[in-house]
Amino acid sequence: AEMQFEYLRDKAARGESFLVVGRCAEAVLGDYQDLISLFILGDKEVKCERVQRLYHLNETEALMKMRRHDRLRKQYHNRHAGGKWGDSRTYDLCINSSRLGVEQTTDLLYQYVQKRIGQK
């Protein structure tokens, strides 16, 4: 984890623009003014249907996969970031993608990022 964090800090220090999914980026890069930190969540039922479709699992298998992955994400984050995984106070924006669907949520997030970039 520390090697990953150092890599992210080095990229940010060089002024590079990049996207990080997970990896405690909101904590690791929290001191960088240009950081845009997003937390995307979804309703259990909608997530389950998507996991079933993407991984060809039945409902029970999908729910088990979701629980396992969420538990591991939470443990990793809470161990390395010093805060609680999903705490809305550590993100610029939190959004439930189940409300708009993946495509419209992506569009909304793109607009948000563009507006933030435009403020410079």
Side-chain angles (χ1 to χ4, degrees):
E2 285 304 319
M3 287 175 50
Q4 293 173 357
F5 300 157
E6 192 60 35
Y7 176 79
L8 295 175
R9 287 185 199 103
D10 288 345
K11 281 184 82 66
R14 290 192 303 268
E16 293 184 43
S17 179
F18 58 97
L19 172 71
V20 180
V21 177
R23 306 293 103 193
C24 306
E26 85 290 348
V28 173
L29 301 174
D31 292 337
Y32 291 90
Q33 181 181 353
D34 294 335
L35 174 69
I36 301 172
S37 182
L38 310 169
F39 189 84
I40 304 164
L41 60 132
D43 293 341
K44 181 179 173 182
E45 301 78 24
V46 176
K47 286 172 52 179
C48 185
E49 289 172 10
R50 187 163 193 259
V51 169
Q52 285 178 270
R53 187 176 65 256
L54 290 174
Y55 298 100
H56 309 289
L57 301 174
N58 65 39
E59 182 178 3
T60 302
E61 293 168 331
L63 288 170
M64 287 173 43
K65 182 177 183 64
M66 288 167 43
R67 282 189 209 107
R68 181 176 59 251
H69 283 260
D70 283 349
R71 184 182 72 247
L72 293 172
R73 284 183 186 108
K74 181 178 180 179
Q75 288 173 348
Y76 180 91
H77 184 278
N78 292 352
R79 177 180 24 219
H80 296 291
K84 289 191 174 185
W85 180 62
D87 182 350
S88 63
R89 295 172 295 182
T90 62
Y91 300 93
D92 296 313
L93 181 67
C94 297
I95 188 167
N96 184 331
S97 64
S98 299
R99 302 294 184 259
L100 297 175
V102 173
E103 287 186 29
Q104 288 186 34
T105 299
T106 302
D107 292 342
L108 182 75
L109 295 175
Y110 179 80
Q111 291 173 22
Y112 179 79
V113 170
Q114 291 302 308
K115 287 181 186 281
R116 284 283 306 274
I117 292 171
Q119 290 179 347
K120 293 183 190 180

